[in-house]
Amino acid sequence: SDDAAWIAAHPQAFAVDGEAVQYKLLKLAATEPEAVPFVRLFPDSYPAEEAGSCDEARKGEVPRLYQWDRRWGFTVYSSTTFALTGCCPTALSMVYQGLTGKSDLSPYDMGVRAKQGGYMAAFDGTDSSFLANEAASLGLSCTPIGVDAASLRAALQGGAVVICNVGPGDFTDNGHFFVITGLADDGTLKVNDPYSAERSNRTWNIDQV
């Protein structure tokens, strides 16, 4: 596309926050076709002072939201663009909207709550304790489960929505939060990954995750 060609021809335009951020933005454009328009606009739009609203909420259906959405991806979170560091607040916003049917708290709004509560870390996203500690104020309950296939399957069969925090592997090179929304008919996991439409458009083997 024209956007992808422009990005490839102007790599230095993405180095405003250093080489690590530059690399991640270029890799995002290379691996996520849906994110290419966002990356193309980054040099002219970052940092943004305000975020747009979110109106996807349908009670009982976890919306698919991305941290690189142009409505909030250009704002600053954890020392750089929300598009790269906002996975935890985006995951919580998806779960909140799906369980309550309310659209008043966007991923950006959840990021503000994390920052105000002291859960945001410089260049390191969000401390996982934010989820359990913030749940009650959102009208939700958050219960840790065992890190094994049986516990995950039981939680999903019981109607829970699961926020998963992983280290390096199939979903990230560092650390990452995403939402497991349920089980497909064949027993695989349905995932809303706030960083990846590509990973969200397929299901995942429960033992692999």
Side-chain angles (χ1 to χ4, degrees):
S1 69
D2 290 343
D3 284 345
W6 191 95
I7 293 165
H10 299 84
Q12 290 306 119
F14 303 94
V16 60
D17 280 345
E19 290 184 358
V21 171
Q22 176 192 30
Y23 172 79
K24 289 179 181 179
L25 287 168
L26 294 174
K27 184 178 179 181
L28 176 63
T31 58
E32 291 290 327
E34 289 189 32
V36 168
F38 167 84
V39 178
R40 169 62 184 89
L41 291 173
F42 180 86
D44 298 321
S45 304
Y46 174 81
E49 296 295 329
E50 298 179 348
S53 60
C54 190
D55 58 2
E56 281 88 344
R58 303 287 187 276
K59 190 171 184 178
E61 180 180 339
V62 180
R64 189 179 291 183
L65 303 174
Y66 297 107
Q67 58 203 76
W68 38 260
D69 189 298
R70 281 175 277 183
R71 288 173 290 181
W72 45 76
F74 299 119
T75 62
V76 177
Y77 183 76
S78 185
S79 306
T80 188
T81 170
F82 189 94
L84 299 181
T85 56
C87 58
C88 182
T90 304
L92 183 55
S93 179
M94 284 193 274
V95 170
Y96 168 79
Q97 293 189 39
L99 294 180
T100 68
K102 299 177 181 179
S103 55
D104 57 314
L105 294 175
S106 70
Y108 171 81
D109 297 322
M110 290 298 185
V112 171
R113 293 171 83 103
K115 181 178 180 179
Q116 292 175 342
Y119 299 102
M120 185 191 76
F123 288 107
D124 199 31
T126 312
D127 189 283
S128 61
S129 61
F130 170 62
L131 300 171
N133 294 345
E134 192 70 12
S137 71
L138 300 172
L140 306 174
S141 61
C142 181
T143 304
I145 63 172
V147 186
D148 59 84
S151 297
L152 178 54
R153 186 179 290 109
L156 295 169
Q157 289 174 337
V161 178
V162 178
I163 294 180
C164 188
N165 181 206
V166 296
D170 293 307
F171 290 85
T172 179
D173 295 328
N174 301 294
H176 188 47
F177 293 88
F178 60 91
V179 182
I180 302 174
T181 61
L183 294 167
D185 291 340
D186 62 358
T188 56
L189 301 175
K190 295 187 290 184
V191 165
N192 281 10
D193 185 334
Y195 197 68
S196 176
E198 297 297 292
R199 290 192 291 268
S200 299
N201 287 333
R202 53 164 290 191
T203 60
W204 291 81
N205 180 281
I206 192 167
D207 293 307
Q208 181 181 2
V209 172

